[in-house]
């Protein structure tokens, strides 16, 4: 009886957060893919850091962007956790250990692309959810306890990218490019 009750609670929770955005097409398989399987995949990957203890901020932000269609409150919580990792100069470490263990492997590299993902994904989430007041929320920086608006966090991200350009005018990549194939260049 307890198991059945808990199962029904999970089913009710899932319907409450996923039925808001629902498609109905002439293709039942497409409907199942969009209304069930893709949402389940996004939910699993978002809530589990893609089943890893280290995960790039880029992935977390992209997953939150997808999750905002299912559960905007959770997506904004993910963004907040990332924003407080941003330094006041706008830099945001791309890779970090999510389990609190010492940095290793990719977490030791200094990629410079996380700030642009922050801007792109937050803008998309705000646009999808219509929650423009999120931009006025005040959050601290990793290296400064004084809270600042999310909007100013995004401005600092853009300023960081702008100040880190090479002679060619393009943003420098640091230890890796913006999609990882040229890490350690």
């Amino acid at each position: 009886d307890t198991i059945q009750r808990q199962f029904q609670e999970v089913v009710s929770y899932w319907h409450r957060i996923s039925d808001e955005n629902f498609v109905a097409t002439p293709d039942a398989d497409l409907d199942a893919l969009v209304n069930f399987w893709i949402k389940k995949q996004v939910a699993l990957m978002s809530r589990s850091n893609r089943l890893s203890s280290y995960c790039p901020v880029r992935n977390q932000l992209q997953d939150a962007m997808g999750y905002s269609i299912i559960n905007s409150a959770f997506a904004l919580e993910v963004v907040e956790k990332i924003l407080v990792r941003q330094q006041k100069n706008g830099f945001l470490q791309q890779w970090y250990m999510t389990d609190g263990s010492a940095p290793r492997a990719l977490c030791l590299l200094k990629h410079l692309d996380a700030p642009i993902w922050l801007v792109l994904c937050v803008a998309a989430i705000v646009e999808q959810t219509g929650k423009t007041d999120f931009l006025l929320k005040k959050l601290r920086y990793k290296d400064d306890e004084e809270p600042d608006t999310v909007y100013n966090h995004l401005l600092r991200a853009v300023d960081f990218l702008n100040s880190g350009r090479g002679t060619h005018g393009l943003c420098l990549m640091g230890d890796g490019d913006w999609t990882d194939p040229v890490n350690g260049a």
Side-chain angles (χ1 to χ4, degrees):
D1 191 44
T2 301
I3 293 173
Q4 185 62 30
R5 184 178 45 78
Q6 290 176 341
F7 176 73
Q8 286 306 315
E9 286 175 13
V10 169
V11 169
S12 295
Y13 168 78
W14 181 251
H15 283 295
R16 191 170 61 253
I17 67 168
S18 68
D19 286 353
E20 184 176 326
N21 296 295
F22 192 82
V23 300
T25 71
D27 186 334
D29 291 336
L30 177 63
D31 293 352
L33 177 70
V34 172
N35 295 323
F36 181 74
W37 290 109
I38 288 177
K39 289 177 181 179
K40 289 285 189 176
Q41 184 70 17
V42 168
L44 171 67
M45 299 317 251
S46 296
R47 292 192 172 269
S48 68
N49 287 323
R50 298 189 184 189
L51 306 175
S52 177
S53 61
Y54 67 99
C55 182
V57 165
R58 173 190 65 237
N59 290 7
Q60 292 173 320
L61 287 166
Q62 290 172 345
D63 292 345
M65 189 170 51
Y67 207 94
S68 68
I69 295 169
I70 302 167
N71 183 339
S72 62
F74 177 77
L76 293 172
E77 286 175 26
V78 170
V79 171
E80 286 181 29
K81 288 177 184 175
I82 292 169
L83 281 164
V84 298
R85 297 187 54 75
Q86 181 188 25
Q87 295 175 8
K88 192 167 185 177
N89 69 358
F91 174 71
L92 178 61
Q93 178 68 29
Q94 177 63 270
W95 291 86
Y96 70 98
M97 301 301 296
T98 59
D99 64 0
S101 63
R104 66 179 190 278
L106 291 169
C107 296
L108 299 174
L109 298 176
K110 187 174 180 183
H111 291 80
L112 301 178
D113 63 326
I116 195 61
W117 291 108
L118 183 63
V119 173
L120 293 172
C121 293
V122 170
I125 291 168
V126 168
E127 182 180 17
Q128 284 176 182
T129 63
K131 296 183 178 184
T132 56
D133 57 325
F134 180 71
L135 297 172
L136 301 176
K137 185 165 188 160
K138 290 193 172 192
L139 300 167
R140 65 175 175 79
Y141 293 96
K142 181 178 181 178
D143 58 349
D144 188 346
E145 290 296 321
E146 185 68 30
D148 203 355
T149 64
V150 169
Y151 181 75
N152 284 335
H153 276 260
L154 300 180
L155 289 178
R156 288 181 186 273
V158 171
D159 287 343
F160 176 83
L161 292 167
N162 186 51
S163 68
R165 293 182 295 142
T167 57
H168 42 57
L170 300 174
C171 296
L172 298 173
M173 65 181 178
D175 288 329
D177 77 353
W178 298 33
T179 57
D180 302 332
V182 192
N183 284 347

